[in-house]
Amino acid sequence: MSYVGDGDYCSLGHLRGLNFTGWSLIVLVTIYYKWRSPTLNIGSYSVALSPILAVYSTLFYTDVWSTFFIFTSYIFALNPPFSSEFLSSLLASILGFVSVWFRQTNIVWNAFVAAAIVSRRAGVSAHSSSFLREAQQFVICAFESAQLLVPFALNFGAFVAFVYWNGGITVGDKQNHAVSIHLVQVFYCFTFMTGLSVPVWFSWKTVRQYVLRSVGSPTRFLWFLVEILLINFIIYKFTVVHPFILADNRHYTFYIWKRLIDRNTYSKYLLSPVYHFSTYVVQSSILRANTPQRNLGKDLTTSGCGKIMALVFTVCVLATIVPSPLFEPRYYILPLSFWRLLVAQRPSLEEKWRQPAEFVYYISILTLLFGIFLKYEFSWATETHPQRILW
């Protein structure tokens, strides 16, 4: 990154330090969450040390503060900081509103936070394994919680007014950020999430369950083939190739696209089993996390109604990343962060080796990323300073 200005407060060090401060606050918020939810099997590093988010803690990008505000909003939705639920909801909505100023698509995650408030309250009085019963309880609780949702409704109203005034959701370079239908983006996202969270989900039991689900019987194998065909159809019909992905060799996605996804005519279709497995890991991990906990004298769950929040999470992921034509891992920071909290109570996470393994895994990836960033540089004819590689 180059200097933005000559003043002390616009120096490179100050601007990067600002983002590091935001990253440090994310650590504090996760500590608060762990403290308020003592039964959770999650360390303060689990979200903050995400190999995508942590990289930007040392650079001047909007992603760190975007994550801090909406992530804190979600934490306060799950664990109200005030005795008054309305004041807690109001604070969560204000934090969510501020996050939209950093990334406009965060308005979708405002809806996720609002759903978390309803889901938490619904989880107090009922906790059923039936999706229909959970959905019924969720809807009833949404009407009962209408007062708590008013601040979020104001956020949505303000956002609609902004879109009307701005002539669209994009601020700045509208031409290169035009809305598209990029459904393959979901598979990219889920694959990143699966690859960056191996210590969280991996077990031979998980692999065995996936195999049985896919080929355990002729009927299941037939469904597996149908799903693979559907994924290939989506790859064929809804893959968007942004000019940046073909031209900017300062990002890992340039090399992933060139050497893996678009290596030849058929290479992108050969990845469909990987996408299928990644989708299974992400979704099944959320559903298996639907375990009650004791918190503040009430029976709650980390995410309230697990199946409902799994559905809401999936819809929010679709709404935020499908319209984007650019294959960009930074867009996966919030899906990965929220998913990590949604699976925080998975029974398998009680295995003592998982969190240390996750820590070592993250540190190893970050060491590799920072090593490449610092040691490997190259020149662009149009740029004075040497170029480096990052997400």
Side-chain angles (χ1 to χ4, degrees):
M1 299 292 288
S2 59
Y3 283 91
V4 177
D6 297 326
D8 289 340
Y9 293 103
C10 289
S11 69
L12 184 61
H14 277 94
L15 293 176
R16 289 184 174 178
L18 181 65
N19 263 22
F20 186 80
T21 300
W23 179 82
S24 302
L25 291 175
I26 294 174
V27 175
L28 292 178
V29 169
T30 53
I31 291 175
Y32 163 84
Y33 185 43
K34 170 69 175 175
W35 172 65
R36 292 293 297 271
S37 307
T39 60
L40 286 180
N41 294 305
I42 179 173
S44 60
Y45 55 81
S46 296
V47 173
L49 279 185
S50 163
I52 303 179
L53 176 63
V55 165
Y56 292 101
S57 68
T58 61
L59 303 171
F60 189 59
Y61 280 81
T62 59
D63 300 279
V64 171
W65 285 100
S66 162
T67 301
F68 166 72
F69 283 110
I70 194 64
F71 192 68
T72 306
S73 174
Y74 179 65
I75 295 299
F76 287 168
L78 294 181
N79 287 283
F82 305 126
S83 57
S84 168
E85 282 198 275
F86 178 76
L87 288 179
S88 297
S89 178
L90 179 62
L91 176 59
S93 70
I94 292 173
L95 292 168
F97 179 74
V98 173
S99 77
V100 177
W101 290 82
F102 288 88
R103 186 170 292 281
Q104 287 68 55
T105 53
N106 279 6
I107 191 64
V108 174
W109 295 108
N110 272 250
F112 182 76
V113 174
I117 291 176
V118 176
S119 186
R120 172 180 59 80
R121 291 169 59 84
V124 171
S125 56
H127 188 82
S128 170
S129 60
S130 167
F131 177 81
L132 292 178
R133 290 191 63 182
E134 282 191 3
Q136 181 183 29
Q137 180 68 20
F138 183 87
V139 172
I140 293 173
C141 195
F143 284 103
E144 294 175 348
S145 307
Q147 183 182 15
L148 303 180
L149 302 181
V150 168
F152 289 94
L154 294 176
N155 286 359
F156 302 137
F159 184 77
V160 170
F162 158 76
V163 171
Y164 177 78
W165 171 80
N166 186 56
I169 188 175
T170 304
V171 177
D173 188 3
K174 296 182 180 180
Q175 181 178 355
N176 285 311
H177 293 85
V179 174
S180 63
I181 304 178
H182 194 187
L183 283 176
V184 181
Q185 185 89 267
V186 178
F187 299 133
Y188 298 158
C189 177
F190 285 172
T191 301
F192 261 85
M193 291 169 62
T194 300
L196 293 177
S197 60
V198 173
V200 175
W201 61 263
F202 178 79
S203 69
W204 292 116
K205 181 180 178 180
T206 299
V207 175
R208 185 169 61 253
Q209 287 176 338
Y210 173 74
V211 172
L212 290 175
R213 178 202 176 278
S214 302
V215 297
S217 69
T219 302
R220 290 179 179 180
F221 181 63
L222 179 61
W223 275 112
F224 172 75
L225 292 179
V226 170
E227 290 165 354
I228 290 294
L229 287 174
L230 178 60
I231 291 174
N232 278 281
F233 173 76
I234 291 173
I235 293 172
Y236 172 74
K237 198 70 176 179
F238 298 103
T239 295
V240 178
V241 185
H242 196 284
F244 288 177
I245 198 71
L246 302 175
D248 197 340
N249 64 344
R250 298 172 299 180
H251 299 278
Y252 287 109
T253 48
F254 171 87
Y255 302 97
I256 293 173
W257 176 263
K258 182 179 179 181
R259 299 179 182 179
L260 183 62
I261 299 176
D262 199 41
R263 186 178 183 87
N264 55 54
T265 305
Y266 306 104
S267 56
K268 58 185 176 182
Y269 300 107
L270 295 176
L271 292 171
S272 57
V274 176
Y275 298 153
H276 187 273
F277 176 73
S278 298
T279 302
Y280 168 81
V281 167
V282 171
Q283 293 298 314
S284 63
S285 296
I286 298 176
L287 295 176
R288 286 200 298 270
N290 197 18
T291 305
Q293 71 169 359
R294 179 72 60 178
N295 187 13
L296 303 180
K298 301 175 180 179
D299 287 325
L300 300 175
T301 63
T302 308
S303 55
C305 298
K307 296 180 179 64
I308 294 297
M309 288 308 294
L311 176 62
V312 174
F313 170 80
T314 303
V315 171
C316 287
V317 171
L318 289 168
T320 52
I321 66 177
V322 167
S324 173
L326 185 59
F327 176 21
E328 173 59 78
R330 288 187 299 124
Y331 300 159
Y332 311 151
I333 291 175
L334 287 180
L336 178 57
S337 299
F338 287 128
W339 177 82
R340 183 60 183 85
L341 286 193
L342 285 171
V343 302
Q345 281 192 312
R346 269 193 59 188
S348 63
L349 291 185
E350 295 176 2
E351 297 172 9
K352 301 301 182 182
W353 64 270
R354 289 190 181 275
Q355 289 195 44
E358 183 182 30
F359 179 78
V360 172
Y361 186 61
Y362 281 177
I363 292 299
S364 300
I365 295 175
L366 287 171
T367 300
L368 178 63
L369 292 174
F370 280 118
I372 293 174
F373 181 81
L374 294 173
K375 298 296 184 181
Y376 182 69
E377 58 183 44
F378 50 94
S379 300
W380 270 20
T382 57
E383 299 292 335
T384 304
H385 301 285
Q387 306 301 298
R388 302 176 187 273
I389 296 177
L390 77 166
W391 290 120

